Coordinates of all heavy atoms in Angstrom, one line a residue:
D13 N 126.8 2.4 -67.3 CA 125.8 3.1 -66.5 C 124.5 3.1 -67.2 O 124.4 3.5 -68.3 CB 126.3 4.6 -66.2 CG 125.5 5.3 -65.2 OD1 124.4 4.8 -64.8 OD2 125.8 6.5 -64.9
R14 N 123.4 2.7 -66.5 CA 122.1 2.6 -67.1 C 121.6 4.0 -67.6 O 120.8 4.0 -68.4 CB 121.1 2.0 -66.2 CG 121.3 0.5 -65.9 CD 120.9 -0.4 -66.9 NE 119.5 -0.4 -67.2 CZ 118.9 -1.0 -68.2 NH1 119.6 -1.8 -69.0 NH2 117.6 -1.0 -68.4
S15 N 122.0 5.0 -66.9 CA 121.6 6.3 -67.3 C 122.0 6.7 -68.8 O 121.3 7.4 -69.4 CB 122.0 7.4 -66.4 OG 123.4 7.5 -66.4
G16 N 123.1 6.1 -69.2 CA 123.5 6.3 -70.6 C 122.5 5.7 -71.6 O 122.1 6.3 -72.6
K17 N 122.0 4.5 -71.2 CA 121.0 3.8 -72.1 C 119.7 4.6 -72.0 O 119.0 4.8 -73.0 CB 120.8 2.4 -71.6 CG 119.8 1.7 -72.5 CD 119.9 0.2 -72.2 CE 119.0 -0.5 -73.2 NZ 119.3 -1.9 -73.3
L18 N 119.3 5.2 -70.9 CA 118.1 6.0 -70.8 C 118.2 7.2 -71.7 O 117.3 7.5 -72.4 CB 117.9 6.4 -69.3 CG 116.8 7.4 -69.0 CD1 115.4 6.6 -69.3 CD2 116.8 7.9 -67.6
E19 N 119.4 7.9 -71.7 CA 119.6 9.0 -72.6 C 119.5 8.6 -74.1 O 118.8 9.3 -74.9 CB 120.9 9.6 -72.4 CG 121.0 10.6 -71.2 CD 122.4 11.2 -71.1 OE1 122.9 11.7 -72.1 OE2 122.9 11.3 -70.0
R20 N 120.1 7.5 -74.4 CA 120.0 7.0 -75.8 C 118.6 6.7 -76.2 O 118.1 7.0 -77.3 CB 120.9 5.9 -76.1 CG 122.4 6.2 -76.0 CD 123.3 5.0 -76.4 NE 123.1 3.9 -75.6 CZ 123.8 3.6 -74.5 NH1 124.6 4.5 -74.0 NH2 123.6 2.5 -73.8
N21 N 117.8 6.1 -75.3 CA 116.5 5.7 -75.6 C 115.6 7.0 -75.7 O 114.6 7.0 -76.4 CB 115.9 4.8 -74.6 CG 116.4 3.4 -74.7 OD1 116.9 3.0 -75.8 ND2 116.4 2.6 -73.7
A22 N 115.9 8.0 -75.0 CA 115.1 9.3 -75.0 C 115.2 10.0 -76.3 O 114.4 10.8 -76.7 CB 115.6 10.2 -73.9
I23 N 116.2 9.7 -77.1 CA 116.4 10.3 -78.5 C 115.1 10.0 -79.3 O 114.6 10.9 -80.0 CB 117.6 9.8 -79.2 CG1 118.9 10.3 -78.4 CG2 117.7 10.2 -80.6 CD1 120.2 9.6 -78.9
T24 N 114.6 8.8 -79.2 CA 113.4 8.4 -80.0 C 112.1 8.3 -79.2 O 111.1 8.1 -79.8 CB 113.7 7.1 -80.7 OG1 114.0 6.1 -79.8 CG2 114.8 7.2 -81.7
R25 N 112.2 8.5 -77.9 CA 111.0 8.3 -77.1 C 110.6 9.5 -76.3 O 111.3 10.0 -75.4 CB 111.2 7.1 -76.1 CG 111.4 5.8 -76.9 CD 111.3 4.6 -75.9 NE 111.4 3.4 -76.7 CZ 112.4 2.6 -76.7 NH1 113.5 2.9 -75.9 NH2 112.4 1.5 -77.4
K26 N 109.5 10.1 -76.8 CA 109.1 11.4 -76.2 C 108.8 11.4 -74.7 O 109.1 12.3 -74.0 CB 107.8 11.9 -77.0 CG 107.5 13.3 -76.8 CD 106.4 13.7 -77.7 CE 106.2 15.2 -77.7 NZ 105.3 15.7 -78.7
H27 N 108.2 10.3 -74.2 CA 107.9 10.2 -72.8 C 109.1 10.2 -71.9 O 109.1 10.7 -70.8 CB 107.0 9.0 -72.5 CG 107.7 7.6 -72.6 ND1 108.0 7.0 -73.8 CD2 108.2 6.8 -71.6 CE1 108.6 5.9 -73.6 NE2 108.8 5.8 -72.3
L28 N 110.3 9.7 -72.4 CA 111.5 9.8 -71.7 C 112.1 11.2 -71.7 O 112.6 11.6 -70.7 CB 112.5 8.8 -72.2 CG 112.2 7.3 -72.1 CD1 113.2 6.4 -72.7 CD2 112.0 6.9 -70.6
R29 N 111.9 11.9 -72.8 CA 112.4 13.3 -72.8 C 111.5 14.1 -71.9 O 112.1 15.0 -71.2 CB 112.3 13.8 -74.2 CG 113.3 13.2 -75.2 CD 113.4 13.9 -76.5 NE 112.2 14.1 -77.3 CZ 111.7 13.2 -78.2 NH1 112.4 12.1 -78.5 NH2 110.6 13.5 -78.8
A30 N 110.2 13.8 -71.8 CA 109.4 14.5 -70.8 C 109.8 14.3 -69.4 O 109.8 15.2 -68.6 CB 107.9 14.1 -71.0
A31 N 110.3 13.1 -69.1 CA 110.8 12.8 -67.8 C 112.0 13.6 -67.4 O 112.2 14.1 -66.3 CB 111.1 11.3 -67.6
F32 N 112.9 13.7 -68.4 CA 114.1 14.6 -68.2 C 113.7 16.0 -68.0 O 114.3 16.7 -67.1 CB 115.0 14.5 -69.4 CG 116.0 13.4 -69.4 CD1 115.9 12.4 -70.4 CD2 117.0 13.3 -68.5 CE1 116.8 11.3 -70.3 CE2 117.9 12.3 -68.5 CZ 117.9 11.3 -69.4
V33 N 112.7 16.5 -68.7 CA 112.3 17.9 -68.5 C 111.7 18.0 -67.1 O 112.0 19.0 -66.4 CB 111.2 18.3 -69.6 CG1 110.5 19.6 -69.2 CG2 111.9 18.3 -70.9
R34 N 110.9 17.1 -66.7 CA 110.3 17.2 -65.3 C 111.4 17.2 -64.3 O 111.4 17.9 -63.3 CB 109.3 16.0 -65.1 CG 108.0 16.2 -65.7 CD 107.0 15.2 -65.3 NE 107.3 13.9 -65.5 CZ 107.1 13.2 -66.6 NH1 106.4 13.8 -67.6 NH2 107.4 11.9 -66.8
W35 N 112.4 16.4 -64.5 CA 113.5 16.3 -63.5 C 114.3 17.6 -63.5 O 114.6 18.1 -62.4 CB 114.5 15.2 -63.9 CG 115.6 15.0 -63.0 CD1 115.6 14.4 -61.7 CD2 117.0 15.3 -63.2 NE1 116.8 14.4 -61.2 CE2 117.7 15.0 -62.0 CE3 117.6 15.9 -64.3 CZ2 119.0 15.2 -61.9 CZ3 119.0 16.1 -64.1 CH2 119.7 15.8 -63.0
F36 N 114.6 18.2 -64.6 CA 115.3 19.5 -64.6 C 114.5 20.6 -64.0 O 115.0 21.4 -63.3 CB 115.8 19.9 -66.1 CG 117.1 19.2 -66.5 CD1 117.1 18.4 -67.6 CD2 118.3 19.5 -65.8 CE1 118.3 17.8 -68.0 CE2 119.4 18.9 -66.2 CZ 119.4 18.0 -67.3
C37 N 113.2 20.6 -64.4 CA 112.3 21.7 -63.8 C 112.2 21.6 -62.3 O 112.3 22.6 -61.6 CB 110.9 21.6 -64.5 SG 110.9 22.1 -66.2
A38 N 112.1 20.3 -61.8 CA 112.0 20.2 -60.3 C 113.3 20.4 -59.6 O 113.4 21.0 -58.5 CB 111.5 18.7 -60.0
K39 N 114.4 20.1 -60.3 CA 115.7 20.3 -59.7 C 116.1 21.7 -59.6 O 116.8 22.1 -58.6 CB 116.8 19.5 -60.6 CG 118.2 19.7 -60.2 CD 119.1 18.9 -61.2 CE 120.5 19.3 -61.0 NZ 121.4 18.7 -62.0
T40 N 115.7 22.6 -60.5 CA 116.1 24.0 -60.5 C 115.0 25.0 -60.2 O 115.2 26.1 -60.4 CB 116.7 24.3 -61.9 OG1 115.7 24.1 -62.9 CG2 117.9 23.5 -62.1
E41 N 113.8 24.4 -59.8 CA 112.7 25.3 -59.6 C 113.0 26.4 -58.6 O 113.7 26.2 -57.6 CB 111.5 24.4 -59.0 CG 110.2 25.1 -59.0 CD 109.6 25.4 -60.4 OE1 109.9 24.7 -61.3 OE2 109.0 26.4 -60.5

């Protein structure tokens, strides 16, 4: 699943972590 690669890449890439944060904030607003 490509989402697993996205998670692994987010470990070292701040812009991907920011995308996860935006997703969680929008999902549970």
Side-chain angles (χ1 to χ4, degrees):
D13 186 356
R14 292 283 296 174
S15 63
K17 185 167 187 163
L18 178 65
E19 279 183 44
R20 289 188 301 275
N21 287 337
I23 294 169
T24 58
R25 296 191 174 112
K26 193 171 189 172
H27 71 281
L28 294 177
R29 293 192 301 270
F32 274 113
V33 169
R34 284 192 299 273
W35 183 74
F36 276 118
C37 289
K39 177 181 166 186
T40 60
E41 192 66 34

